Structures are given as C-alpha cells and as structure tokens.
Amino acid sequence: MRDLRSWLRPALSGLTTRGRSFLAAGGAAAVCAVVLGQQDLLRVAVLLAALPLGCAIVLGRSRYRLALTRTITPQRVVAGTTARVRLELENLTRLATRVLLAEDRVPYSLGPSPRFVLARLPGGRRAAVTYSLRSEVRGRYSVGPLRLRLTDPFGMCELTRSFTATDPLVVVPRTWPLSPVTAGGQWSGSGESLARSAAASGEDDIATREYRYGDDLRRVHWRSTARRGELMVRRDEQPRQMRATVLLDVRPQAHRGEGPASSFEWAVSAAASVAVHLAGQRYGVRLVVDERPAGWTGPYSGDGAGQLLDELAVVDLGDAPDLNGAVTAMARTGGDGLVVAVLGECGEEEATALAQMGRRAGRGIAILLRTTAWGPATDRGSAEADENRRRAAAVLRSGGWVVTEAGPEETVRQAWDRVADARPGTEFRLAPVPAPLPGAGGAR
C-alpha cells in the first residue's frame, strides 16, 4: 500500500490543466447523473475521470533508466566568447521512451536555460543535442542539472525527473598578448645559475659537487678532484628562478563605473594579461589582492596561467580601505623580483608604501588608471583625483618604479608597451584626451 502511494501521489500531482479539467468534468457529470438519475451521463462521467487517472497511473509506473554525459568545450572560456555544450542521453533499458522535453539549467548570467524536445528513444540507443553558452560576465558557474519532463500522448499528466550531476564552466577575463620585459631587473629572484656559481667558487670549481653513490663516473671533474682530494662530479646547471608579483587594486573607492564597462574590469583584464604573459615567460607568478598570502605558480608547470585565470575569474571588489595589507603580505612572503601593480585611484600614502618596496624589489612597474575617465564628466572630485594620481606617480618614480597612466580609450597592450622597455623613473607624458560620455569605456 505504501509503494502504491509513493508513485500514485506524485503522478496525481503532475496532472496538467487539461487533466484536472477532465477530472473535474467527470466529477460534475457523476453528481448530475446521481441527481438526475441518468445512467448514460454516469458512463460519460466515468470516461472523463478514467482518462486522466489512467494516464497518471501509466506515466507514474513508467521506469526509464537514462545515462547522461555532458561535455563542455572548452571548460575555461574568455568573457564574450562562446562555449559549446553537448548532452548525450543513453537509454539503458529495452523499453523505448516517450517524447521527452529536456531543460538544462544554467545560471542567469549565461542566458536562459536551453530546452529541447527529444524524440522517442528506443532501448539501448543514444541521442545527443548541442547548444551554446556565452557570458560577458566573468565568474565560475555550474551548468546543470538536466531536467526531463515526461508527458502522456493526451497531455493529461506531466512528470519531472532530474539528474543530479553538474559541470563547471569558468569565464575568465580577456587577456592581451604583451611584449616581453627587456629592461634591467627582470632576472631578480631566487635560485642558482652558472654565473652565481662562478662568482662564488671560481671558474675551475664551477657547478661541481661531491661524488655520490650511483653517479656516472664520466661526470667526474678531475681538476676539482685533484684540488680537493676527493671525487667531485660536474653538477647540472640549474636555471635561476624568475619571480613576479602582480598586485591588483580591489579597493571599492579606487574604481569607477559599473559592470564590464568599469575601471575595475579594465584592471582585472590588465592583471590577467600581465600574469599570463609572465607565466608564459617562465616566471613564478603570484597574484596579490589583499592581506592574504598568495602562492607562487611553478615556472615550469603546465597550467600556471590557467590557475591565475581561475583566480581572476572570481575576484571582486574587497572592503579594505587601503593597500597596506596587500603591501605587508608581499613583504612578508618575499617581495623580490618583478612587481607589477595595477592601481585605481591611489594616494600618496599607498604610493609611499609601494615605493619603499620598489627599492627592495628587482623592478617595479605601476599602471595607474585614469579613473576619472570612467566616471561622469561633471564629477566634482575629478580634479582632485587627477592631482592625487600625479602625486602618487611622482612618489613611485622616486622609488625607482616605471609608471604609466591608462584610460578606457586604450588597450592593455598599448599601456604595457610604454613600460616594458622603459628604465626606472621614466616619466610618460600622455596627450590629454577628451572627457568621455557617461557610461563610456570598458576593459579592452
């Protein structure tokens, strides 16, 4: 009895408007038949009520075993581009299915949930459908689960069955191909190199160590062996590890604009471009956005750039009032090597903290966003913000940083080309640009 209720109750709750209308009409006809004493009307009532009830019973007892395979290509897509999703359903039983209405649930940012009508699927057969997803907003999304709606041929009853599996889709910020850093300071970092060994022990003892059991005797360095009185073997040269830190300003008061056309999205695109470029140049790269310590990517790992993009896909404006926490985190975990800072509205206090770090680091590059170009043209604080930016740029240059400004009218690549080959302290004089219309600009 309990098993009967377990499938009959959901089946009756799945009656469509048509099914409920037939059932109500059958009940009304039965009452009229009893009141009027009309046997023929009672037969009509039984027929009207039996049809939706019979459809609900048959549909509720239908047992389909379906397997779903969802493939997203690619699983990491750039904002504004398209990903393809392929759904493959396999009927694991010998019983053919009825016509199915499938709906794959997706987040609102990816558009409306796609729906498909799947024709009758014989037992042991497969059916596949594909659709496209596109998002202008970066983030990490879950695609699914897939829901199937089962209906009877008369449209009296409709049941919903849902899979549980979901698949991830990561929408990362747009990146630009950048020119390599060629000025001095790019080799700062930790590790060991041929030149360092030569400076420490002389040309004769370069890259040698004590003999260890199992070493190839052909690698014995006889001159060093004779000098030290013990077997010495040539050591494989270890390339110096280059390191770079990308600092992204996530202070809410440092940016202007909304959505993809905001200065913050331009900054995220710039940080992503720099991080991916340096990771491709075999740098160990870390992304710093707040006081939390950040890990380094392996310079020889296969997916270092992908890890950085995954982090930037979900980065958002924080709540820190200044950059002191981020600067402290960089200094505490090692601020050596190349430091690239993408900053919004920056004051002298933040610039001074970064300038002091720049004196300890190998090289510092700062991209100051002209945030007033993203804001309303009549903003009263624009003149003050521009003056603060000029002062911050002067403080950074005095600390040995290479500084440039960027606005919504130019691309990340254009801004980077000005600083990639520049010497520390170089000053760039940009031509004034007209004030944009409200809402203009965006990450390019």
Side-chain angles (χ1 to χ4, degrees):
M1 187 66 178
R2 184 175 301 176
D3 294 339
L4 180 63
R5 293 177 181 176
S6 63
W7 61 264
L8 184 57
R9 183 175 299 174
L12 292 177
S13 63
L15 288 174
T16 62
T17 302
R18 180 184 300 176
R20 296 178 186 275
S21 300
F22 268 70
L23 193 60
V31 172
C32 293
V34 173
V35 173
L36 300 177
Q38 296 290 330
Q39 295 295 329
D40 293 337
L41 188 57
L42 183 60
R43 296 188 183 96
V44 174
V46 171
L47 177 61
L48 291 175
L51 184 58
L53 291 176
C55 291
I57 292 174
V58 172
L59 193 62
R61 291 190 58 85
S62 298
R63 292 293 181 264
Y64 299 134
R65 291 183 55 200
L66 302 175
L68 170 66
T69 302
R70 182 188 292 106
T71 305
I72 303 178
T73 309
Q75 289 190 334
R76 184 186 294 125
V77 64
V78 178
T81 59
T82 301
R84 299 288 296 176
V85 181
R86 186 175 190 270
L87 299 175
E88 184 175 323
L89 280 172
E90 180 182 4
N91 189 355
L92 302 179
T93 64
R94 296 181 180 180
L95 179 66
T97 67
R98 301 181 183 276
V99 176
L100 304 176
L101 178 62
E103 179 182 8
D104 205 16
R105 304 189 67 179
V106 299
Y108 175 79
S109 299
L110 299 180
S113 298
R115 297 180 178 181
F116 309 94
V117 176
L118 301 176
R120 182 175 178 272
L121 185 61
R125 300 291 295 274
R126 297 183 179 184
V129 294
T130 59
Y131 64 91
S132 300
L133 290 178
R134 177 187 176 94
S135 176
E136 300 292 340
V137 181
R138 54 185 175 79
R140 183 180 289 114
Y141 304 99
S142 293
V143 180
L146 180 69
R147 296 193 304 178
L148 297 177
R149 288 198 294 176
L150 313 177
T151 61
D152 63 275
F154 301 100
M156 298 290 178
C157 185
E158 182 180 277
L159 297 181
T160 301
R161 299 288 185 263
S162 179
F163 292 88
T164 59
T166 60
D167 290 277
L169 175 64
V170 182
V171 181
V172 301
R174 182 181 179 182
T175 59
W176 291 82
L178 304 180
S179 56
V181 180
T182 57
Q186 67 169 330
W187 295 101
S188 298
S190 60
E192 206 170 298
S193 68
L194 189 64
R196 179 178 296 186
S197 298
S201 57
E203 192 67 29
D204 291 339
D205 292 333
I206 183 172
T208 59
R209 59 171 175 79
E210 296 84 0
Y211 174 83
R212 299 172 186 170
Y213 179 78
D215 285 340
D216 190 349
L217 292 177
R218 290 175 295 182
R219 297 175 54 195
V220 174
H221 192 268
W222 296 110
R223 181 177 297 181
S224 299
T225 299
R227 178 177 302 164
R228 292 175 177 259
E230 61 178 333
L231 281 177
M232 302 292 292
V233 296
R234 292 186 299 272
R235 180 172 51 188
D236 293 334
E237 181 184 346
Q238 299 177 356
R240 182 177 299 182
Q241 178 180 346
M242 301 177 293
R243 286 185 170 182
T245 299
V246 179
L247 171 63
L248 175 62
D249 189 356
V250 297
R251 296 172 299 148
Q253 69 273 16
H255 295 280
R256 301 191 185 187
E258 297 180 356
S262 65
S263 64
F264 179 67
E265 291 302 322
W266 198 101
V268 172
S269 180
S273 301
V274 173
V276 170
H277 168 69
L278 295 178
Q281 298 295 317
R282 299 294 180 89
Y283 278 79
V285 184
R286 64 174 175 175
L287 176 68
V288 176
V289 297
D290 51 28
E291 69 278 359
R292 292 173 296 180
W296 298 90
T297 62
Y300 299 98
S301 63
D303 197 32
Q307 298 174 14
L308 295 168
L309 287 175
D310 288 347
E311 292 183 45
L312 288 167
V314 296
V315 71
D316 203 353
L317 291 172
D319 53 5
D322 50 46
L323 293 174
N324 294 335
V327 174
T328 302
M330 286 193 297
R332 184 172 57 248
T333 56
D336 59 335
L338 176 64
V339 178
V340 181
V342 184
L343 306 174
E345 294 184 8
C346 182
E348 290 189 61
E349 182 179 353
E350 289 86 359
T352 301
L354 289 173
Q356 294 175 353
M357 169 165 286
R359 296 186 182 98
R360 300 191 299 267
R363 186 185 181 191
I365 297 177
I367 302 177
L368 299 180
L369 300 188
R370 201 165 47 248
T371 56
T372 53
W374 275 276
T378 58
D379 191 348
R380 296 181 179 179
S382 297
E384 181 181 355
D386 291 337
E387 181 62 26
N388 289 338
R389 184 178 63 256
R390 284 190 288 268
R391 292 178 180 176
V395 172
L396 289 171
R397 292 190 187 98
S398 65
W401 285 65
V402 177
V403 184
T404 187
E405 298 180 6
E409 73 284 348
E410 58 187 337
T411 65
V412 175
R413 183 172 185 175
Q414 291 172 337
W416 179 259
D417 287 343
R418 292 196 295 269
V419 298
D421 300 328
R423 295 291 176 179
T426 304
E427 180 178 0
F428 297 96
R429 296 184 179 277
L430 304 181
V433 295
L437 296 176
R444 301 187 181 186

